[in-house]
Amino acid sequence: MRKLFSLSLLTLASVSMFAGGYRVSIQGQKQLAMGHTGVAVVNSAEVAFFNPAGMSFLDKKFNLSVGGNALFAKTRYQDSQYNQTAGTDNLGTPFSLYATYKINDWVSAGLAVYTPYGSSVEWDKGWKGAHLVNSIDLQAIFVQPTISFKIEDVFSIGGGPIYANGSVNFNRNITPNPLLGNTNVDLEAKNITAWGYNVGMMFKLTNEVTLGLDYRSEIIMEARGGSANYQDKNAIASLNPAFTDGTFDADLPLPAELTAGLSYKPSEKWLFAFDYNFTKWSTYKNLDITIYNQNPTPVFSENKRDYKDASTFRFGAQYKATKKFTLRGGYYIDESPVQNGYFAPETPRNDSKGYTGGLTYQVNDKLGIDMSFLYLHFDQIDNSYDYYNDPLTSPPPGQSPYSSFGGTYKSTVFSPGIGITYGF
């Protein structure tokens, strides 16, 4: 029965890492509209997230950017053999707040508060994959104080610590075995905290060309003392002492990221940007779990994940149409880190293409209203998760304990957003 906890927590870890599942990058309205480029763009206080070194190149002494999005995510599943279908339609509300202050001509300070991993998934009740996941609700807030130093008029560096705080609730049936009906386990961990750091540099090669480089460290989210509670137990499950409430510890890694890019401003009206993002997902080979239950000896378990490193290629453009209106557009290609045979329904994503756009209406010299949208299309995929280990099944000697769950998945995301920028 220890395998039950292990497989449940495997799903928990996958959910906690939306960058390896279907994380949608929404960390600023202006930069989202430009394909979520920004490592070499100085547009607003949003630069505190994309590259803190750029804070030194902001024109105004104080800059504030606040925004939020409605994130509509849709996934459809179809069994390849029997044509059974299921779906999940969910709403997320990511937000961001950035503020910068120029202490003097050479030093600037800033604060970034954002929600990079907040979302939810709820599959149709009683669907075929209920033994892997029924529902997920994830909330996470990152707080990042930063400082930037202008070494010369054309070069700056910046960085600071990242504090992460989050919680997760996950539910799944304990087995596909019909004898236990809809007996399910509900896993919840609150106040998961961790620390990381972010450093960047920016170089103005010419008046028209700017180069940027930004690095985000790996962050380990350490869940300690999370609760595991059984629900809807039938008579058979109630008689089994293994299905009693307990606690768990698990380390949930968020991998390091390196982003490099450039921006080109051929005139006062036009700005073009390109970002290349490399995420070190190969660090996530498995999930180690320690389980505490009625057994006096804690149980250690290892679960396979075997992600691969992944890249994202981002393109953006900005056009200042009038004194009041600035238009933006962008496109990006996002590679999935999930390998064949590891495709699980709690992270139903594949390679994707993002289409973005938006505008700013400048109310006056200090205040602007920013609007953005994102349409994210995931390639349809027929794949499976081949490492499910049923806690109630013991295979014959010499046979693999694993079984597969697969099918065809198709996912899309649409997200409109609005925000304000203010500076003086």
Side-chain angles (χ1 to χ4, degrees), residues 25 80 111 160 180 256 289 371:
S25 297
S80 303
L111 178 68
L180 293 183
I289 303 162
M371 288 175 280

Side-chain angles (χ1 to χ4, degrees), residues 50-89:
F50 290 90
N51 187 347
M55 296 189 304
S56 294
F57 293 120
L58 288 167
D59 293 332
K60 296 177 179 178
K61 189 175 185 68
F62 175 78
N63 298 271
L64 175 70
S65 294
V66 181
N69 286 69
L71 190 155
F72 303 94
K74 176 188 297 186
T75 298
R76 295 293 178 264
Y77 163 84
Q78 182 174 2
D79 178 82
S80 303
Q81 185 176 2
Y82 301 104
N83 291 324
Q84 295 175 317
T85 60
T88 170
D89 295 85

Side-chain angles (χ1 to χ4, degrees), residues 154-403:
V154 296
F155 179 73
S156 64
I157 59 173
I162 299 174
Y163 171 74
N165 185 290
S167 64
V168 64
N169 180 270
F170 164 70
N171 182 280
R172 53 158 283 177
N173 286 9
I174 60 174
T175 175
N177 191 322
L179 291 177
L180 293 183
N182 291 320
T183 304
N184 60 82
V185 62
D186 193 78
L187 300 176
E188 186 172 31
K190 297 181 178 180
N191 297 318
I192 306 172
T193 62
W195 288 90
Y197 64 91
N198 176 217
V199 294
M201 61 181 65
M202 190 173 287
F203 177 59
K204 289 186 172 293
L205 187 63
T206 68
N207 290 332
E208 295 80 22
V209 179
T210 300
L211 306 178
L213 184 68
D214 184 75
Y215 175 78
R216 293 179 179 277
S217 72
E218 180 181 72
I219 296 177
I220 305 297
M221 301 293 285
E222 297 181 349
R224 296 292 181 264
S227 64
N229 300 313
Y230 289 94
Q231 302 178 150
D232 299 328
K233 292 192 291 186
N234 63 12
I236 296 177
S238 298
L239 294 174
N240 193 326
F243 301 133
T244 56
D245 298 346
T247 65
F248 69 87
D249 292 346
D251 292 344
L252 315 177
L254 305 178
E257 298 180 29
L258 179 67
T259 305
L262 61 87
S263 65
Y264 174 56
K265 190 174 183 180
S267 68
E268 287 300 316
K269 288 185 174 292
W270 283 101
L271 174 67
F272 300 94
F274 168 75
D275 281 8
Y276 168 73
N277 174 263
F278 176 80
T279 305
K280 190 67 175 176
W281 274 113
S282 60
T283 189
Y284 186 40
K285 295 297 185 185
N286 51 63
L287 171 66
D288 297 332
I289 303 162
T290 304
I291 304 157
Y292 304 90
N293 201 338
Q294 293 180 340
N295 192 330
T297 303
V299 177
F300 178 80
S301 178
E302 178 184 73
N303 298 281
K304 300 176 183 294
R305 215 50 183 168
D306 201 26
Y307 277 19
K308 62 181 179 180
D309 295 338
S311 298
T312 305
F313 304 86
R314 302 181 181 276
F315 307 87
Q318 173 180 285
Y319 176 67
K320 190 171 183 180
T322 68
K323 185 178 180 180
K324 291 288 187 180
F325 286 96
T326 301
L327 309 178
R328 300 181 182 91
Y331 169 77
Y332 63 86
I333 302 169
D334 189 8
E335 297 177 350
S336 170
V338 182
Q339 300 202 73
N340 289 336
Y342 293 87
F343 197 92
E346 75 275 359
T347 54
R349 66 149 291 171
N350 191 28
D351 295 344
S352 62
K353 299 178 179 64
Y355 305 86
T356 71
L359 59 85
T360 292
Y361 173 69
Q362 199 65 38
V363 178
N364 53 47
D365 290 341
K366 295 182 178 180
L367 178 65
I369 300 174
D370 306 316
M371 288 175 280
S372 71
F373 75 85
L374 164 67
Y375 173 71
L376 192 58
H377 173 77
F378 295 91
D379 294 343
Q380 181 173 300
I381 186 172
D382 191 344
N383 213 321
S384 62
Y385 183 74
D386 299 336
Y387 296 95
Y388 175 70
N389 194 341
D390 192 332
L392 300 184
T393 301
S394 297
Q399 291 190 13
S400 171
Y402 302 122
S403 62

Side-chain angles (χ1 to χ4, degrees), residues 27-32 44-50 65 98 370:
Q27 274 79 57
Q29 301 304 311
K30 288 185 176 181
Q31 304 316 134
L32 173 62
S44 65
E46 293 176 9
V47 75
F49 168 82
F50 290 90
S65 294
Y98 308 108
D370 306 316

Side-chain angles (χ1 to χ4, degrees), residues 136-153:
I136 298 159
D137 185 19
L138 173 70
Q139 299 178 10
I141 297 178
F142 282 24
V143 180
Q144 179 183 326
T146 58
I147 192 166
S148 175
F149 300 95
K150 187 190 294 183
I151 308 301
E152 297 289 346
D153 288 336

